[in-house]
């Protein structure tokens, strides 16, 4: 094989240098469209669709030039192109499939946002929780003696809730009981009351608001006054 | 005729043109390297996909736009791109059996590769000081795994090239054209992977 090469070998030095110049220019264009859009008379950020297309297009051109000329596939046996193309197609196909499929997990972004928020949640503040209790409409159904706005009678009155929450259900401490009552109210119903809790209450508030609300409910004592929450 | 018999015939150069169907007329080493590169495509494909999948999903910083530097990476990308030219010239020289010329090009290719690695070490150190570690966030782990794997490929390439440089002083280079060509294929492959990484990870971040 080596002898064959020597006999039929044509030097491609000029071609290689020419290709390198093209590759250099392509890289120059890539960087300058990005760094100095005003050279091209573009408002920064206004041409992002075209810019993305150009960047990918130039990358493909560079890729193909290196493979075809530096790696000699253009001059070589087609079998080698087949080898390389099959690997490339599988790789690219996998990439497309993975990126497309992850879009079908609608809860993903949401759960990341949740996790991010959960990280920043501070210990619940009963005073803020009282405002949440008011603003989320709990007052419409639950009575609390010291809150003039909390007059509803559809649900149980909540005075002294913090004192009994921990002993309501075997195995649930006060906080867990309060959370269960909001997230899954049907699990335990106070005698003579039906399950009329608004569904999806927890989802209607931020993690911080929820934490404050739980703190407020857990702090409720029999005979408490509005002064305790000022 | 079985495959094994066909291959044996081909290897012994008995009637080299007899069984067209089974004879590729491609040096076996070259076939090996192209099939390796095809599989390496898939390897880098998964690393780049993983980076893209987790892009924008990091819960804490630093985020890509905080640390990536286009000017620095442009220079290092350009160096790697030009090393591909030097590699092509080295392969061209060895096919003409111009050994001193081959030595020059192969040494410069390795040298340019080393410059690229220097830039990468600088970049990694800089990121580390900016608070981005492998375990900091999804960006850190996917970025370092991908570019680190590429850097490892470059390192292997530089050692391989320097090996040829040294060998050319002591060994017989008359039958090494195909071997050098295979080294060249590997080197160019490392370059094209970087062409993709440079665009997809660095440039597109700032569109």
């Amino acid at each position: 094989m080596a002898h064959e090469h020597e006999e039929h070998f044509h030097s491609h030095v000029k071609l290689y240098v020419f290709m390198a110049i093209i590759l250099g220019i392509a890289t120059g264009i890539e960087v300058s469209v990005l760094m100095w859009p005003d050279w091209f008379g573009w408002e920064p950020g206004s041409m992002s669709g075209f810019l993305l297309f150009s960047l990918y297009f130039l990358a493909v051109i560079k890729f193909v030039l290196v493979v075809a000329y530096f790696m000699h596939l253009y001059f070589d046996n087609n079998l080698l192109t087949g080898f390389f193309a099959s690997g490339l197609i599988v790789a690219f196909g996998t990439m497309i499939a993975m990126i497309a499929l992850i879009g079908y997990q609608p809860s993903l972004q949401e759960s990341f946002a949740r996790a991010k928020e959960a990280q920043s949640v501070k210990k619940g503040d009963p005073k803020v929780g009282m405002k949440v209790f008011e603003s989320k409409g709990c007052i419409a159904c639950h009575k609390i003696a010291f809150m003039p706005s909390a007059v509803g009678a559809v649900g149980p009155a909540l005075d002294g809730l913090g004192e009994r929450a921990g002993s309501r259900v075997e195995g649930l401490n006060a906080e867990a009981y309060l959370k269960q009552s909001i997230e899954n109210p049907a699990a335990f119903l106070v005698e003579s009351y039906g399950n009329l809790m608004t569904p999806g209450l927890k989802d209607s508030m931020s993690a911080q608001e929820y934490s404050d609300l739980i703190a407020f409910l857990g702090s409720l004592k029999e005979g408490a006054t509005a002064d305790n929450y000022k | 005729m079985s495959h094994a018999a066909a291959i044996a015939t081909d290897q012994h150069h008995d009637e080299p043109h007899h069984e067209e169907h089974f004879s590729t007329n491609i040096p076996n080493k070259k076939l090996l390297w192209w099939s390796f590169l095809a599989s390496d495509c898939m390897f880098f494909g998964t690393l780049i996909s993983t980076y893209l999948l987790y892009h924008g999903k990091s819960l804490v910083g630093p985020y890509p736009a905080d640390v990536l530097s286009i000017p620095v990476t442009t220079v290092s990308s350009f160096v790697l791109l030009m090393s591909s030219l030097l590699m092509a010239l080295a392969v061209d020289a060895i096919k003409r059996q111009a050994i001193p010329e081959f030595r020059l090009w192969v040494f410069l290719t390795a040298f340019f590769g080393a410059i690229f690695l220097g830039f990468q070490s600088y970049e990694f150190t800089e990121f580390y000081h900016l608070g981005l570690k492998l375990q900091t966030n999804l960006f850190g782990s996917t970025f370092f795994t991908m570019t680190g794997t590429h850097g490892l490929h470059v390192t292997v390439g530089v050692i391989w090239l320097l090996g040829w440089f040294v060998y050319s002083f002591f060994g017989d280079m008359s039958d090494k054209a195909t071997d050098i060509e295979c080294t060249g294929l590997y080197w160019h492959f490392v370059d094209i992977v970087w062409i993709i990484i440079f665009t997809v990870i660095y440039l597109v971040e700032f569109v």
Side-chain angles (χ1 to χ4, degrees), chain A residues 11-12 27 71 76-77 95, chain B residues 24 30 49 81 92 188 203:
Chain A
S11 176
H12 289 297
T27 309
M71 295 173 93
D76 248 327
N77 194 316
M95 193 184 275
Chain B
T24 58
K30 213 163 139 179
S49 309
L81 203 56
D92 201 273
H188 296 309
L203 296 179

Side-chain angles (χ1 to χ4, degrees), chain B residues 11 26-27 81 127 132 137 141 157 160 198:
Chain B
Q11 277 176 346
I26 300 168
L81 203 56
F127 289 3
L132 186 71
N137 53 19
S141 23
W160 198 1
F198 179 57

Side-chain angles (χ1 to χ4, degrees), chain B residues 80 83 87 109 113 154 157-158 161 183-191:
Chain B
L80 196 63
S83 80
M87 186 72 237
T109 310
V154 178
V158 168
L161 290 166
T183 314
L185 290 176
Y186 175 81
W187 190 261
H188 296 309
F189 176 77
V190 167
D191 183 34

Side-chain angles (χ1 to χ4, degrees), chain A residues 19-225:
Chain A
M19 286 304 155
I21 292 170
I22 293 186
L23 289 169
I25 292 173
T27 309
I29 295 175
E30 283 175 340
V31 176
S32 27
V33 290
L34 200 61
M35 303 285 281
W36 304 287
D38 41 326
W39 280 7
F40 300 83
W42 301 339
E43 291 286 311
S46 66
M47 303 287 285
S48 56
F50 176 71
L51 207 56
L52 274 181
F53 173 79
S54 323
L55 288 176
Y56 286 125
F57 181 73
L58 285 168
V60 170
I61 296 283
K62 285 162 74 182
F63 188 97
V64 170
L65 286 184
V66 172
V67 174
Y69 295 101
F70 285 171
M71 295 173 93
H72 249 239
L73 270 194
Y74 180 71
F75 308 102
D76 248 327
N77 194 316
N78 284 339
L79 188 70
L80 296 178
T81 308
F83 259 112
F84 191 58
S86 55
L88 209 56
I89 289 167
V90 172
F92 197 65
T94 310
M95 193 184 275
I96 300 284
M98 280 171 77
I99 291 169
L101 287 173
I102 202 132
Y104 286 96
Q105 289 188 302
S107 63
L108 197 68
Q109 283 288 3
E110 208 180 322
S111 54
F112 276 116
R114 282 270 167 79
K116 199 169 179 176
E117 195 183 290
Q119 275 193 333
S120 63
V121 169
K122 293 190 289 284
K123 194 171 177 295
D125 180 350
K127 290 173 201 167
V128 182
M130 186 165 93
K131 295 198 178 72
V132 177
F133 187 81
E134 216 161 7
S135 67
K136 293 297 168 186
C138 310
I139 50 173
C141 301
H142 294 283
K143 189 170 183 290
I144 294 177
F146 65 85
M147 276 180 84
S149 59
V151 293
V154 178
L158 300 180
D159 296 284
L161 175 60
E163 292 162 331
R164 57 180 183 270
S167 52
R168 279 294 207 186
V169 177
E170 187 76 34
L172 287 186
N173 64 19
E175 189 185 332
Y177 170 73
L178 293 171
K179 284 184 173 170
Q180 180 190 272
S181 301
I182 293 173
E183 292 165 32
N184 182 20
F188 175 85
L189 292 171
V190 176
E191 208 178 329
S192 79
Y193 286 95
N195 178 16
L196 295 168
M197 282 288 280
T198 313
L201 253 181
K202 188 189 173 193
D203 294 330
S204 73
M205 58 189 91
S206 72
Q208 184 63 58
E209 286 174 322
Y210 189 59
S211 168
D212 292 333
L213 178 65
I214 297 292
F216 169 67
L217 296 174
S219 74
L220 288 171
K221 290 192 173 62
E222 206 69 61
T225 66

